[in-house]
Structure formats: C-alpha cells, structure tokens
Amino acid sequence: MGQYPTSLPFVLLVSAVLLLNADLGLCGCFKRIFSFGDSIIDTGNAAYAGRNVIVDFYAQALGLPLLPPSMPQAGTGQFPTGANFAVFGSLALSPDYYKTKYNFTMPMPWCLDRQLDSFKMVLARIAPGEPATKSLLGESLVVMGEIGGNDYNFWFSARRSREIPDKYVPDVVARIGDGVQEVIDLGARTVLVPGNFPIGCVPAYLSGFRTDNSADYDEFRCLRWFNDFSQRHNQALKQEISRLRAHNPGAKIIYADYYGAAMEFVRNPHNHGIDDPLVACCGGAGPYHTGKSCNNTASIWGDPAKFANLYLS
C-alpha cells in the first residue's frame, strides 16, 4: 500500500526542500544521485516505471538525468549519474524482526538491509577500492528514503494493535540512522533524509479507519491519531539526525519535511489547483476513490494534476 502526491505537488515539495537548502540546489556539485526507499521513489525495481516519483524531480532540479532502477543493470551498469535502489513495499527493518518480535508476517521481503547490500556490491564494481569509492560518493547526493512508512502501513492495514508501532518506532528510526551512517562511512558527504507523510490524510487510511466520532478528525478532515503518529516518527527521526550531525561534522545531513510539505496541500488546496486533497485521482468507486489499485482497470476521476493523492493497494 502506498499513496503519494501527483506531479504538481511533487514539484512543489521538491522546490520547498531545495529552497530551504539553497546551497544544495544551486551548487551544481553533484554528479550523481543514489537513492533508497519504497514505492514513493521506486522507478522500476519492483514498481511500474512509467510514472514520475519524487527522486525524478530532485534529479531534474539538480540538472541530472532521471535515475535508472538499479536491479535491471545490477551486474553490468556503470551508473554514471547514479542509480535508484528503492523497492516497492520495502521496509526499514527486516521482515524477520517483525516475525521474531511480534509474530507478524510482513507481506513483502524487501528491506533497507538488502538495498544497502546491493548498493555496496555495485560500488565495489564501479569504484573498486576505498579511495575510488570515497571520491565517487563525495560528489554524489544520497537520498535515504522515504523509508519506514511501510513498517507502519502493513501493520495498521492488518488491523493489529495501534499501540505496538509506537514501541518499534525507535528501532525503525535507528535503522534509518544506521543506513545514513553506513553511506557516510563509505564516503558520502551529503545525505537527504525524508520524514514520513501525514498518513491520516491518505485515502487508504481515511477509508479503512472511518469513524462516526468527529473527535477522531482534525479541522482538515484528516484522522488525528494517525497524523499524530507520523509526527512522533518524524520527531524521533529529527532527533536521530541531530545525533548524526554531531557525530559527523564533515557531512551535510538534511531533513526533508515531507509531512509539512504535504500538509500545505491539505491546508491550502486551492492555492495549488487541488479540488479535494483527501481523495485519490484514480482507483475504485469506494470512499475517497479507494477500493481498487491505480492500474489500467482503475477509474480515473479527473485531471491528475488537480489531485494530491493516487491510490495503490
């Protein structure tokens, strides 16, 4: 399951991140991008490749070609302008973590460990030896996420206890932090770390957790508890980034506020040409246009540029 903004919101979100980090967008010093994450940025490893995702707009903003997925060329590609290791449905933590600790079977096998292992194998081939690896990564932008959202999405969608994810937020955040430290140790000097989206405003959550209790909704008609949860994750992630910055003074570690950027479309939809920020542009005939994946059999509910979500089950 995943939902993400359509093209116009993507452009605005990326612009906001680059404006808040002007030197990142204007320096022209990145020769490539390496990215990790889930369906939010998968460009063809396990997701349909015929769509623009957030990392595509980062590449365009930085004057680079669109990122190729890593899997099709994992053993042969030279990736002169970078590669995308993100995989649809990927977790931050290993599926074994949830099976061992909570007797819960995650529906997808991919996790950040596997993406980083693949990345290291590619590095060993295209830039063998520590000096070459450090040189290559020193002139690259690394995008670490968004990752971790599916660790919560799969749990919540299975209708398991809401209280449990709060217990494993520290482990999810620690794994993201470990991933950032790994790429810095390899030679990365600039790492972008996105937070989670306001999942209480996402069609799948709004449809799946509908309630007649008005107190469960905020003033924007989003589910209050789930947005509060996303903010707890993001606050823990920001604290981890602060720790990483103190430990790595020579690296630039940037927090990308995807929550705040997405909420701008919810608070002021008409400023961005969006009619209703809480419904999907394609999917089924269910509430919030849910009930069917956004594929070639889905209903299209209008111009996608006028929506802030599409629906993937």
Side-chain angles (χ1 to χ4, degrees):
M1 177 177 64
Q3 294 76 30
Y4 49 87
T6 51
S7 297
L8 174 61
F10 269 179
V11 172
L12 296 171
L13 187 151
V14 169
S15 297
V17 171
L18 294 179
L19 283 172
L20 290 171
N21 301 276
D23 53 334
L24 175 65
L26 299 175
C27 71
C29 52
F30 299 114
K31 294 184 178 180
R32 61 193 67 80
I33 299 174
F34 292 108
S35 58
F36 307 88
D38 54 27
S39 61
I40 300 297
I41 62 169
D42 183 354
T43 53
N45 285 316
Y48 171 60
R51 59 188 176 97
N52 285 331
V53 295
I54 292 177
V55 74
D56 291 331
F57 296 105
Y58 282 127
Q60 290 175 355
L62 297 173
L64 296 171
L66 300 186
L67 285 188
S70 62
M71 284 186 184
Q73 302 180 62
T76 59
Q78 291 302 305
F79 303 118
T81 57
N84 190 347
F85 294 82
V87 181
F88 180 94
S90 189
L91 308 166
L93 294 168
S94 165
D96 291 340
Y97 169 93
Y98 296 99
K99 186 64 175 177
T100 300
K101 197 160 186 176
Y102 299 109
N103 193 30
F104 181 70
T105 301
M106 286 289 180
M108 302 293 278
W110 286 96
C111 61
L112 186 55
D113 282 349
R114 293 177 66 173
Q115 293 182 39
L116 287 167
D117 286 345
S118 178
F119 176 58
K120 291 171 188 175
M121 288 190 288
V122 167
L123 283 179
R125 182 172 53 76
I126 66 175
E130 183 175 343
T133 297
K134 287 186 177 296
S135 175
L136 181 141
L137 289 180
E139 54 190 21
S140 303
L141 171 65
V142 175
V143 180
M144 187 62 69
E146 182 272 337
I147 187 76
N150 285 325
D151 294 67
Y152 312 129
N153 290 337
F154 291 135
W155 181 277
F156 289 136
S157 66
R159 299 300 193 274
R160 302 292 286 258
S161 168
R162 289 189 188 182
E163 285 66 40
I164 296 299
D166 272 305
K167 296 180 179 180
Y168 63 74
V169 164
D171 292 337
V172 169
V173 167
R175 184 64 195 96
I176 297 170
D178 289 345
V180 173
Q181 189 63 59
E182 283 183 58
V183 297
I184 290 174
D185 290 344
L186 288 168
R189 306 266 45 94
T190 307
V191 186
L192 184 71
V193 188
N196 201 358
F197 290 93
I199 60 175
C201 302
V202 164
Y205 279 84
L206 287 164
S207 175
F209 295 94
R210 279 187 301 166
T211 169
D212 293 328
N213 185 354
S214 61
D216 290 337
Y217 295 86
D218 63 18
E219 65 269 38
F220 305 110
R221 299 178 291 125
C222 298
L223 288 164
R224 190 185 307 275
W225 189 92
F226 288 103
N227 275 2
D228 288 346
F229 176 83
S230 291
Q231 292 191 80
R232 291 195 292 275
H233 166 91
N234 290 342
Q235 183 58 38
L237 182 60
K238 286 186 277 190
Q239 291 172 352
E240 175 67 4
I241 289 171
S242 294
R243 185 192 68 80
L244 288 165
R245 287 169 176 160
H247 188 68
N248 301 278
K252 185 176 180 66
I253 307 171
I254 302 160
Y255 174 72
D257 183 12
Y258 285 7
Y259 185 101
M263 284 304 297
E264 168 61 21
F265 310 132
V266 175
R267 294 188 185 99
N268 302 295
H270 298 300
N271 291 352
H272 307 291
I274 295 169
D275 294 330
D276 185 343
L278 304 184
V279 299
C281 69
C282 64
Y288 305 96
H289 299 167
T290 58
K292 182 182 288 187
S293 293
C294 192
N295 56 30
N296 59 3
T297 66
S299 299
I300 306 298
W301 296 102
D303 180 359
K306 294 184 177 182
F307 291 81
N309 284 283
L310 61 77
Y311 179 71
L312 297 175
S313 63

